[in-house]
Amino acid sequence: MSGLKAEAEKFLNNAKENTFGWTLKDNSTDDKIYVVVDNEADPDDNPYFSISRNGDSFKVASQYYLLEEVEGVRFIKLLSDYCAQGKRSLTDVLQKANSIYNQVESALMAGEDQGDDEEQEEVEIEVGDDMQDEMPIQPVSSMGSGYDANFEEMKKKFKKPQGASEGCINCIMKEYMKIKQAETEKLGISANPVNDDLFHWEIRFFKFDPKEDGQIAKDLAEYSKKHGIDYITLDLTFPLEFPFKPPFIRVLKPRFAFRTGHVTIGGSICMELLTTSGWSSVCSLESIFVQIRTEMIAGEARLDFSNTTPYTEHEAKEAFFRVAERYGWEKR
């Protein structure tokens, strides 16, 4: 079995195959590669997706807007569905990725053409006294259908903590409205502010399939019989520095069995992208939720039926920093 890095380099060095000029990140290995799709951006924030082996096929993932959803084109989902259909070679997957990405590019160009006909007012993020330049975020008028009419009105109904900048609030609102428009319930995911607090959300994962999602689906069915709950509840809190710092996401209930589902013993999510070293300000919350749910399944999540007490925030943060420090992702 050839290494992924060598096979990928062979494909990417072929200009006829690699029509978009993709490259590999330096940390690509023979077990997992990171394909960079845009080298014109800041090198630290170049959009990329990863490919790793998964049985006779491959697993793909990305946390970037560009590769997550553009005008209804779901790059990662479509590519994942392709990989799940049967045995694939890496070349097959990369060729399919090129084809799907062509749809993404077409959708982007169509969106830009439409945007040229609209007057757009730029909104800026306040990033603190120590940064001289303000960083623009996507104009409210370009956020897609429905944003213009409802954005400011919806924003008024939510509570915000003292000291929250308008830029931070707009970013969170944009994420919330994007999730609502995407109808994530169809993916078994819901997200809603707790008591109208825009900076505190409750996330629910549900619709686990016993045939496709493994034992966690059966455990939840059993848990539902005993406690009347057939979903996983997660708690999300945003820092005032969002989107420049990641939200803190943890499982609230039910408790997970030890070392399953990529959930720490305290209930926090064990993923580098949720740490300061792995976070990017262009991360999409919708794709992060999808990735957390996917990682739970891939990590063979099981429930702990012996303890029905919800995880506390204190134990979640203790476990989070303990794991993150061990891997060099975070420092307290």
Side-chain angles (χ1 to χ4, degrees):
M1 183 181 293
S2 62
L4 296 188
K5 186 175 181 180
E7 188 176 348
E9 287 176 339
K10 182 178 180 180
F11 176 90
L12 297 177
N13 288 333
N14 185 335
K16 292 183 179 179
E17 295 274 19
N18 184 16
T19 56
F20 292 103
W22 292 349
T23 59
L24 290 183
K25 286 176 69 73
D26 293 339
N27 58 342
S28 295
T29 67
D30 286 337
D31 297 317
K32 186 173 186 177
I33 60 171
Y34 300 89
V35 183
V36 179
V37 301
D38 183 2
N39 285 299
E40 297 180 3
D42 185 322
D44 292 332
D45 278 333
N46 279 338
Y48 67 87
F49 64 97
S50 65
I51 304 177
S52 56
R53 293 194 186 279
N54 183 24
D56 290 333
S57 191
F58 296 90
K59 174 184 175 182
V60 295
S62 175
Q63 68 265 38
Y64 287 91
Y65 280 120
L66 184 61
L67 302 179
E68 183 261 325
E69 182 178 9
V70 181
E71 299 295 331
V73 179
R74 292 175 176 270
F75 179 89
I76 293 299
K77 185 178 187 305
L78 291 174
L79 192 55
S80 295
D81 289 347
Y82 173 77
C83 292
Q85 289 170 6
K87 186 176 181 179
R88 306 291 186 190
S89 69
L90 180 60
T91 299
D92 291 336
V93 175
L94 289 170
Q95 287 175 338
K96 186 65 175 179
N98 259 248
S99 174
I100 297 172
Y101 192 77
N102 185 52
Q103 299 175 48
V104 175
E105 285 283 284
S106 298
L108 278 171
M109 292 176 66
E112 289 173 358
D113 291 341
Q114 183 178 6
D116 289 340
D117 298 329
E118 300 176 357
E119 293 185 2
Q120 298 181 348
E121 179 182 354
E122 187 173 75
V123 180
E124 294 185 330
I125 299 176
E126 298 173 7
V127 293
D129 296 334
D130 57 334
M131 299 184 69
Q132 296 180 353
D133 298 326
E134 292 184 327
M135 301 181 65
I137 63 172
Q138 187 180 27
V140 172
S141 59
S142 68
M143 289 180 184
S145 175
Y147 281 106
D148 288 341
N150 301 323
F151 189 83
E152 292 298 330
E153 196 61 35
M154 285 189 65
K155 192 166 67 173
K156 291 178 183 177
K157 80 171 189 177
F158 291 118
K159 302 172 186 174
K160 302 98 177 173
Q162 186 175 2
S165 71
E166 193 68 15
C168 175
I169 293 169
N170 284 343
C171 282
I172 297 174
M173 276 297 303
K174 176 186 170 184
E175 290 288 347
Y176 176 69
M177 296 184 74
K178 184 173 181 288
I179 287 171
K180 291 305 177 184
Q181 286 195 336
E183 298 181 343
T184 56
E185 286 82 0
K186 295 178 181 178
L187 302 175
I189 300 170
S190 68
N192 291 289
V194 177
N195 296 324
D196 289 333
D197 184 348
L198 187 61
F199 282 67
H200 183 197
W201 292 11
E202 179 185 273
I203 316 300
R204 292 183 180 182
F205 292 166
F206 47 93
K207 289 185 179 178
F208 288 92
D209 188 330
K211 294 182 179 180
E212 297 183 1
D213 299 335
Q215 190 62 42
I216 185 61
K218 298 176 183 177
D219 280 5
L220 278 171
E222 183 66 24
Y223 193 86
S224 177
K225 292 178 182 178
K226 296 181 178 180
H227 306 288
I229 297 174
D230 61 352
Y231 53 84
I232 298 169
T233 303
L234 295 90
D235 185 88
L236 179 152
T237 52
F238 291 98
L240 294 178
E241 298 86 356
F242 184 83
F244 302 103
K245 288 187 178 180
F248 183 68
I249 304 176
R250 64 188 179 95
V251 173
L252 189 62
K253 60 182 179 181
R255 285 182 177 260
F256 279 52
F258 185 49
R259 290 183 176 176
T260 69
H262 297 289
V263 175
T264 69
I265 194 172
S268 50
I269 307 300
C270 185
M271 294 173 65
E272 184 180 7
L273 72 88
L274 294 176
T275 66
T276 52
S277 65
W279 176 256
S280 170
S281 60
V282 297
C283 287
S284 156
L285 287 185
E286 180 191 355
S287 62
I288 288 174
F289 297 158
V290 171
Q291 191 164 342
I292 292 173
R293 192 179 190 278
T294 300
E295 290 297 327
M296 284 182 174
I297 296 169
E300 300 180 350
R302 296 294 306 271
L303 299 185
D304 179 3
F305 289 93
S306 67
N307 188 349
T308 58
T309 306
Y311 291 107
T312 67
E313 183 177 9
H314 174 74
E315 64 180 321
K317 287 187 174 180
E318 283 295 315
F320 172 81
F321 282 106
R322 186 166 57 247
V323 172
E325 287 175 344
R326 182 191 309 158
Y327 288 102
W329 298 339
E330 197 84 57
K331 290 183 179 180
R332 274 193 270 197

mmCIF file of all heavy atoms in Angstrom, residues 58-94:
data_model
loop_
_atom_site.group_PDB
_atom_site.id
_atom_site.type_symbol
_atom_site.label_atom_id
_atom_site.label_comp_id
_atom_site.label_asym_id
_atom_site.label_seq_id
_atom_site.Cartn_x
_atom_site.Cartn_y
_atom_site.Cartn_z
ATOM 1 N N PHE A 58 -11.711 6.473 2.215
ATOM 2 C CA PHE A 58 -11.041 7.576 2.888
ATOM 3 C C PHE A 58 -12.026 8.426 3.680
ATOM 4 O O PHE A 58 -13.232 8.420 3.422
ATOM 5 C CB PHE A 58 -10.318 8.464 1.865
ATOM 6 C CG PHE A 58 -9.211 7.756 1.138
ATOM 7 C CD1 PHE A 58 -9.467 7.075 -0.038
ATOM 8 C CD2 PHE A 58 -7.931 7.744 1.648
ATOM 9 C CE1 PHE A 58 -8.461 6.400 -0.704
ATOM 10 C CE2 PHE A 58 -6.908 7.076 0.993
ATOM 11 C CZ PHE A 58 -7.176 6.401 -0.185
ATOM 12 N N LYS A 59 -11.479 9.170 4.636
ATOM 13 C CA LYS A 59 -12.246 10.124 5.427
ATOM 14 C C LYS A 59 -11.740 11.522 5.091
ATOM 15 O O LYS A 59 -10.533 11.761 5.039
ATOM 16 C CB LYS A 59 -12.060 9.847 6.917
ATOM 17 C CG LYS A 59 -12.718 10.874 7.835
ATOM 18 C CD LYS A 59 -12.389 10.568 9.286
ATOM 19 C CE LYS A 59 -12.937 11.647 10.205
ATOM 20 N NZ LYS A 59 -12.587 11.394 11.621
ATOM 21 N N VAL A 60 -12.660 12.446 4.852
ATOM 22 C CA VAL A 60 -12.279 13.822 4.543
ATOM 23 C C VAL A 60 -12.886 14.758 5.580
ATOM 24 O O VAL A 60 -13.946 14.481 6.136
ATOM 25 C CB VAL A 60 -12.734 14.237 3.123
ATOM 26 C CG1 VAL A 60 -12.008 13.428 2.081
ATOM 27 C CG2 VAL A 60 -14.237 14.087 2.961
ATOM 28 N N ALA A 61 -12.207 15.872 5.830
ATOM 29 C CA ALA A 61 -12.701 16.836 6.818
ATOM 30 C C ALA A 61 -12.119 18.207 6.536
ATOM 31 O O ALA A 61 -11.061 18.342 5.926
ATOM 32 C CB ALA A 61 -12.328 16.392 8.234
ATOM 33 N N SER A 62 -12.830 19.237 6.983
ATOM 34 C CA SER A 62 -12.344 20.611 6.901
ATOM 35 C C SER A 62 -13.214 21.480 7.774
ATOM 36 O O SER A 62 -14.399 21.203 7.951
ATOM 37 C CB SER A 62 -12.389 21.139 5.467
ATOM 38 O OG SER A 62 -12.028 22.507 5.435
ATOM 39 N N GLN A 63 -12.630 22.569 8.344
ATOM 40 C CA GLN A 63 -13.424 23.483 9.162
ATOM 41 C C GLN A 63 -13.592 24.842 8.499
ATOM 42 O O GLN A 63 -13.980 25.800 9.122
ATOM 43 C CB GLN A 63 -12.790 23.676 10.543
ATOM 44 C CG GLN A 63 -11.464 24.425 10.547
ATOM 45 C CD GLN A 63 -10.280 23.502 10.517
ATOM 46 O OE1 GLN A 63 -10.309 22.492 9.845
ATOM 47 N NE2 GLN A 63 -9.234 23.852 11.246
ATOM 48 N N TYR A 64 -13.303 24.935 7.211
ATOM 49 C CA TYR A 64 -13.310 26.236 6.557
ATOM 50 C C TYR A 64 -14.596 26.506 5.789
ATOM 51 O O TYR A 64 -15.162 25.626 5.159
ATOM 52 C CB TYR A 64 -12.116 26.354 5.608
ATOM 53 C CG TYR A 64 -10.828 26.530 6.362
ATOM 54 C CD1 TYR A 64 -10.076 25.431 6.737
ATOM 55 C CD2 TYR A 64 -10.404 27.789 6.752
ATOM 56 C CE1 TYR A 64 -8.907 25.592 7.461
ATOM 57 C CE2 TYR A 64 -9.242 27.954 7.472
ATOM 58 C CZ TYR A 64 -8.497 26.861 7.819
ATOM 59 O OH TYR A 64 -7.358 27.014 8.538
ATOM 60 N N TYR A 65 -15.046 27.760 5.835
ATOM 61 C CA TYR A 65 -16.255 28.171 5.130
ATOM 62 C C TYR A 65 -16.227 27.756 3.661
ATOM 63 O O TYR A 65 -17.175 27.221 3.133
ATOM 64 C CB TYR A 65 -16.393 29.701 5.163
ATOM 65 C CG TYR A 65 -16.929 30.263 6.430
ATOM 66 C CD1 TYR A 65 -16.181 31.153 7.183
ATOM 67 C CD2 TYR A 65 -18.192 29.915 6.880
ATOM 68 C CE1 TYR A 65 -16.676 31.692 8.357
ATOM 69 C CE2 TYR A 65 -18.695 30.449 8.050
ATOM 70 C CZ TYR A 65 -17.937 31.339 8.784
ATOM 71 O OH TYR A 65 -18.430 31.867 9.937
ATOM 72 N N LEU A 66 -15.120 28.033 2.984
ATOM 73 C CA LEU A 66 -15.049 27.825 1.546
ATOM 74 C C LEU A 66 -15.323 26.379 1.174
ATOM 75 O O LEU A 66 -15.881 26.083 0.132
ATOM 76 C CB LEU A 66 -13.660 28.235 1.045
ATOM 77 C CG LEU A 66 -13.429 28.164 -0.468
ATOM 78 C CD1 LEU A 66 -14.389 29.088 -1.191
ATOM 79 C CD2 LEU A 66 -11.993 28.517 -0.804
ATOM 80 N N LEU A 67 -14.929 25.460 2.055
ATOM 81 C CA LEU A 67 -15.085 24.049 1.750
ATOM 82 C C LEU A 67 -16.296 23.441 2.434
ATOM 83 O O LEU A 67 -16.491 22.247 2.402
ATOM 84 C CB LEU A 67 -13.826 23.289 2.192
ATOM 85 C CG LEU A 67 -12.540 23.791 1.558
ATOM 86 C CD1 LEU A 67 -11.361 22.999 2.068
ATOM 87 C CD2 LEU A 67 -12.629 23.680 0.056
ATOM 88 N N GLU A 68 -17.091 24.251 3.075
ATOM 89 C CA GLU A 68 -18.195 23.700 3.858
ATOM 90 C C GLU A 68 -19.534 23.903 3.178
ATOM 91 O O GLU A 68 -20.272 22.970 2.953
ATOM 92 C CB GLU A 68 -18.164 24.338 5.248
ATOM 93 C CG GLU A 68 -19.198 23.810 6.196
ATOM 94 C CD GLU A 68 -20.363 24.741 6.247
ATOM 95 O OE1 GLU A 68 -20.164 25.956 6.149
ATOM 96 O OE2 GLU A 68 -21.491 24.252 6.349
ATOM 97 N N GLU A 69 -19.865 25.130 2.800
ATOM 98 C CA GLU A 69 -21.123 25.334 2.084
ATOM 99 C C GLU A 69 -21.084 26.654 1.338
ATOM 100 O O GLU A 69 -20.836 27.687 1.919
ATOM 101 C CB GLU A 69 -22.310 25.340 3.044
ATOM 102 C CG GLU A 69 -23.629 25.493 2.297
ATOM 103 C CD GLU A 69 -24.819 25.445 3.229
ATOM 104 O OE1 GLU A 69 -24.627 25.465 4.446
ATOM 105 O OE2 GLU A 69 -25.933 25.400 2.720
ATOM 106 N N VAL A 70 -21.276 26.613 0.053
ATOM 107 C CA VAL A 70 -21.359 27.817 -0.759
ATOM 108 C C VAL A 70 -22.545 27.654 -1.698
ATOM 109 O O VAL A 70 -22.562 26.765 -2.543
ATOM 110 C CB VAL A 70 -20.074 28.030 -1.589
ATOM 111 C CG1 VAL A 70 -20.196 29.309 -2.403
ATOM 112 C CG2 VAL A 70 -18.852 28.094 -0.690
ATOM 113 N N GLU A 71 -23.538 28.502 -1.518
ATOM 114 C CA GLU A 71 -24.726 28.450 -2.372
ATOM 115 C C GLU A 71 -25.293 27.033 -2.474
ATOM 116 O O GLU A 71 -25.668 26.562 -3.538
ATOM 117 C CB GLU A 71 -24.382 28.987 -3.766
ATOM 118 C CG GLU A 71 -23.922 30.435 -3.788
ATOM 119 C CD GLU A 71 -25.010 31.397 -3.355
ATOM 120 O OE1 GLU A 71 -26.186 31.085 -3.551
ATOM 121 O OE2 GLU A 71 -24.675 32.460 -2.808
ATOM 122 N N GLY A 72 -25.337 26.338 -1.357
ATOM 123 C CA GLY A 72 -25.941 25.007 -1.339
ATOM 124 C C GLY A 72 -25.012 23.887 -1.757
ATOM 125 O O GLY A 72 -25.382 22.720 -1.711
ATOM 126 N N VAL A 73 -23.792 24.201 -2.182
ATOM 127 C CA VAL A 73 -22.844 23.154 -2.576
ATOM 128 C C VAL A 73 -22.037 22.747 -1.348
ATOM 129 O O VAL A 73 -21.242 23.520 -0.831
ATOM 130 C CB VAL A 73 -21.894 23.647 -3.686
ATOM 131 C CG1 VAL A 73 -20.911 22.541 -4.057
ATOM 132 C CG2 VAL A 73 -22.683 24.079 -4.906
ATOM 133 N N ARG A 74 -22.218 21.541 -0.887
ATOM 134 C CA ARG A 74 -21.521 21.076 0.317
ATOM 135 C C ARG A 74 -20.320 20.229 -0.101
ATOM 136 O O ARG A 74 -20.447 19.045 -0.389
ATOM 137 C CB ARG A 74 -22.464 20.265 1.195
ATOM 138 C CG ARG A 74 -23.572 21.092 1.814
ATOM 139 C CD ARG A 74 -24.535 20.186 2.573
ATOM 140 N NE ARG A 74 -25.536 20.969 3.252
ATOM 141 C CZ ARG A 74 -25.407 21.429 4.490
ATOM 142 N NH1 ARG A 74 -24.307 21.196 5.155
ATOM 143 N NH2 ARG A 74 -26.365 22.127 5.051
ATOM 144 N N PHE A 75 -19.168 20.857 -0.108
ATOM 145 C CA PHE A 75 -17.960 20.188 -0.596
ATOM 146 C C PHE A 75 -17.649 18.933 0.218
ATOM 147 O O PHE A 75 -17.510 17.834 -0.324
ATOM 148 C CB PHE A 75 -16.787 21.170 -0.546
ATOM 149 C CG PHE A 75 -15.475 20.588 -1.014
ATOM 150 C CD1 PHE A 75 -15.116 20.641 -2.345
ATOM 151 C CD2 PHE A 75 -14.603 19.999 -0.118
ATOM 152 C CE1 PHE A 75 -13.916 20.113 -2.780
ATOM 153 C CE2 PHE A 75 -13.404 19.462 -0.536
ATOM 154 C CZ PHE A 75 -13.059 19.523 -1.871
ATOM 155 N N ILE A 76 -17.513 19.093 1.533
ATOM 156 C CA ILE A 76 -17.107 17.969 2.371
ATOM 157 C C ILE A 76 -18.164 16.873 2.382
ATOM 158 O O ILE A 76 -17.852 15.687 2.307
ATOM 159 C CB ILE A 76 -16.805 18.450 3.804
ATOM 160 C CG1 ILE A 76 -15.557 19.337 3.798
ATOM 161 C CG2 ILE A 76 -16.592 17.268 4.746
ATOM 162 C CD1 ILE A 76 -14.304 18.639 3.308
ATOM 163 N N LYS A 77 -19.435 17.253 2.463
ATOM 164 C CA LYS A 77 -20.490 16.243 2.499
ATOM 165 C C LYS A 77 -20.534 15.445 1.203
ATOM 166 O O LYS A 77 -20.633 14.216 1.210
ATOM 167 C CB LYS A 77 -21.853 16.884 2.758
ATOM 168 C CG LYS A 77 -22.974 15.849 2.919
ATOM 169 C CD LYS A 77 -24.305 16.488 3.218
ATOM 170 C CE LYS A 77 -25.353 15.426 3.543
ATOM 171 N NZ LYS A 77 -25.481 14.401 2.494
ATOM 172 N N LEU A 78 -20.457 16.142 0.074
ATOM 173 C CA LEU A 78 -20.498 15.451 -1.212
ATOM 174 C C LEU A 78 -19.291 14.534 -1.382
ATOM 175 O O LEU A 78 -19.412 13.405 -1.872
ATOM 176 C CB LEU A 78 -20.551 16.470 -2.354
ATOM 177 C CG LEU A 78 -21.849 17.277 -2.479
ATOM 178 C CD1 LEU A 78 -21.707 18.343 -3.554
ATOM 179 C CD2 LEU A 78 -23.023 16.363 -2.798
ATOM 180 N N LEU A 79 -18.126 15.009 -0.958
ATOM 181 C CA LEU A 79 -16.926 14.189 -1.084
ATOM 182 C C LEU A 79 -16.962 13.012 -0.112
ATOM 183 O O LEU A 79 -16.548 11.900 -0.452
ATOM 184 C CB LEU A 79 -15.683 15.053 -0.835
ATOM 185 C CG LEU A 79 -14.330 14.431 -1.202
ATOM 186 C CD1 LEU A 79 -14.317 13.966 -2.654
ATOM 187 C CD2 LEU A 79 -13.206 15.436 -0.961
ATOM 188 N N SER A 80 -17.493 13.243 1.091
ATOM 189 C CA SER A 80 -17.634 12.154 2.067
ATOM 190 C C SER A 80 -18.602 11.091 1.563
ATOM 191 O O SER A 80 -18.360 9.889 1.712
ATOM 192 C CB SER A 80 -18.114 12.709 3.412
ATOM 193 O OG SER A 80 -17.160 13.564 3.985
ATOM 194 N N ASP A 81 -19.709 11.537 0.978
ATOM 195 C CA ASP A 81 -20.681 10.596 0.420
ATOM 196 C C ASP A 81 -20.040 9.747 -0.675
ATOM 197 O O ASP A 81 -20.287 8.539 -0.774
ATOM 198 C CB ASP A 81 -21.892 11.345 -0.147
ATOM 199 C CG ASP A 81 -22.765 11.944 0.943
ATOM 200 O OD1 ASP A 81 -22.583 11.570 2.117
ATOM 201 O OD2 ASP A 81 -23.618 12.790 0.621
ATOM 202 N N TYR A 82 -19.213 10.378 -1.490
ATOM 203 C CA TYR A 82 -18.522 9.651 -2.559
ATOM 204 C C TYR A 82 -17.597 8.589 -1.970
ATOM 205 O O TYR A 82 -17.573 7.438 -2.432
ATOM 206 C CB TYR A 82 -17.726 10.638 -3.416
ATOM 207 C CG TYR A 82 -16.846 9.985 -4.459
ATOM 208 C CD1 TYR A 82 -17.386 9.476 -5.638
ATOM 209 C CD2 TYR A 82 -15.471 9.886 -4.261
ATOM 210 C CE1 TYR A 82 -16.574 8.875 -6.590
ATOM 211 C CE2 TYR A 82 -14.655 9.286 -5.206
ATOM 212 C CZ TYR A 82 -15.210 8.784 -6.374
ATOM 213 O OH TYR A 82 -14.404 8.184 -7.311
ATOM 214 N N CYS A 83 -16.851 8.956 -0.930
ATOM 215 C CA CYS A 83 -15.926 8.009 -0.299
ATOM 216 C C CYS A 83 -16.668 6.839 0.343
ATOM 217 O O CYS A 83 -16.163 5.714 0.385
ATOM 218 C CB CYS A 83 -15.086 8.725 0.760
ATOM 219 S SG CYS A 83 -13.905 9.918 0.098
ATOM 220 N N ALA A 84 -17.869 7.116 0.838
ATOM 221 C CA ALA A 84 -18.634 6.084 1.551
ATOM 222 C C ALA A 84 -19.303 5.081 0.615
ATOM 223 O O ALA A 84 -19.806 4.048 1.061
ATOM 224 C CB ALA A 84 -19.692 6.746 2.430
ATOM 225 N N GLN A 85 -19.298 5.366 -0.673
ATOM 226 C CA GLN A 85 -20.010 4.511 -1.622
ATOM 227 C C GLN A 85 -19.269 3.226 -1.959
ATOM 228 O O GLN A 85 -19.831 2.329 -2.572
ATOM 229 C CB GLN A 85 -20.309 5.297 -2.901
ATOM 230 C CG GLN A 85 -21.372 6.372 -2.711
ATOM 231 C CD GLN A 85 -21.496 7.294 -3.912
ATOM 232 O OE1 GLN A 85 -20.866 7.068 -4.947
ATOM 233 N NE2 GLN A 85 -22.303 8.334 -3.777
ATOM 234 N N GLY A 86 -18.002 3.131 -1.575
ATOM 235 C CA GLY A 86 -17.267 1.903 -1.861
ATOM 236 C C GLY A 86 -15.772 2.134 -1.876
ATOM 237 O O GLY A 86 -15.277 3.193 -1.482
ATOM 238 N N LYS A 87 -15.049 1.137 -2.323
ATOM 239 C CA LYS A 87 -13.595 1.206 -2.354
ATOM 240 C C LYS A 87 -13.132 2.295 -3.315
ATOM 241 O O LYS A 87 -13.585 2.368 -4.456
ATOM 242 C CB LYS A 87 -13.023 -0.146 -2.775
ATOM 243 C CG LYS A 87 -11.508 -0.235 -2.695
ATOM 244 C CD LYS A 87 -11.032 -1.636 -3.022
ATOM 245 C CE LYS A 87 -9.507 -1.732 -2.915
ATOM 246 N NZ LYS A 87 -9.023 -3.103 -3.211
ATOM 247 N N ARG A 88 -12.224 3.138 -2.842
ATOM 248 C CA ARG A 88 -11.713 4.242 -3.654
ATOM 249 C C ARG A 88 -10.195 4.312 -3.534
ATOM 250 O O ARG A 88 -9.626 3.975 -2.496
ATOM 251 C CB ARG A 88 -12.285 5.590 -3.177
ATOM 252 C CG ARG A 88 -13.802 5.656 -3.087
ATOM 253 C CD ARG A 88 -14.460 5.620 -4.442
ATOM 254 N NE ARG A 88 -15.903 5.833 -4.337
ATOM 255 C CZ ARG A 88 -16.746 5.654 -5.347
ATOM 256 N NH1 ARG A 88 -16.300 5.256 -6.528
ATOM 257 N NH2 ARG A 88 -18.037 5.867 -5.176
ATOM 258 N N SER A 89 -9.564 4.786 -4.591
ATOM 259 C CA SER A 89 -8.145 5.113 -4.511
ATOM 260 C C SER A 89 -8.021 6.591 -4.176
ATOM 261 O O SER A 89 -8.979 7.357 -4.341
ATOM 262 C CB SER A 89 -7.444 4.823 -5.841
ATOM 263 O OG SER A 89 -7.876 5.746 -6.838
ATOM 264 N N LEU A 90 -6.850 7.005 -3.722
ATOM 265 C CA LEU A 90 -6.657 8.416 -3.412
ATOM 266 C C LEU A 90 -6.816 9.268 -4.670
ATOM 267 O O LEU A 90 -7.377 10.366 -4.620
ATOM 268 C CB LEU A 90 -5.276 8.641 -2.796
ATOM 269 C CG LEU A 90 -4.948 10.093 -2.424
ATOM 270 C CD1 LEU A 90 -5.949 10.632 -1.412
ATOM 271 C CD2 LEU A 90 -3.528 10.206 -1.883
ATOM 272 N N THR A 91 -6.355 8.750 -5.793
ATOM 273 C CA THR A 91 -6.513 9.483 -7.054
ATOM 274 C C THR A 91 -7.986 9.675 -7.386
ATOM 275 O O THR A 91 -8.401 10.754 -7.826
ATOM 276 C CB THR A 91 -5.806 8.739 -8.200
ATOM 277 O OG1 THR A 91 -4.411 8.647 -7.908
ATOM 278 C CG2 THR A 91 -5.982 9.482 -9.522
ATOM 279 N N ASP A 92 -8.789 8.629 -7.155
ATOM 280 C CA ASP A 92 -10.238 8.748 -7.371
ATOM 281 C C ASP A 92 -10.809 9.894 -6.538
ATOM 282 O O ASP A 92 -11.600 10.712 -7.021
ATOM 283 C CB ASP A 92 -10.955 7.452 -6.973
ATOM 284 C CG ASP A 92 -10.656 6.297 -7.908
ATOM 285 O OD1 ASP A 92 -10.292 6.560 -9.068
ATOM 286 O OD2 ASP A 92 -10.789 5.140 -7.464
ATOM 287 N N VAL A 93 -10.407 9.939 -5.265
ATOM 288 C CA VAL A 93 -10.943 10.941 -4.343
ATOM 289 C C VAL A 93 -10.510 12.346 -4.759
ATOM 290 O O VAL A 93 -11.310 13.288 -4.746
ATOM 291 C CB VAL A 93 -10.487 10.644 -2.896
ATOM 292 C CG1 VAL A 93 -10.941 11.750 -1.948
ATOM 293 C CG2 VAL A 93 -11.043 9.303 -2.432
ATOM 294 N N LEU A 94 -9.253 12.493 -5.154
ATOM 295 C CA LEU A 94 -8.764 13.811 -5.563
ATOM 296 C C LEU A 94 -9.419 14.276 -6.863
ATOM 297 O O LEU A 94 -9.720 15.463 -7.028
ATOM 298 C CB LEU A 94 -7.243 13.779 -5.714
ATOM 299 C CG LEU A 94 -6.462 13.679 -4.393
ATOM 300 C CD1 LEU A 94 -4.987 13.416 -4.658
ATOM 301 C CD2 LEU A 94 -6.631 14.951 -3.570
#
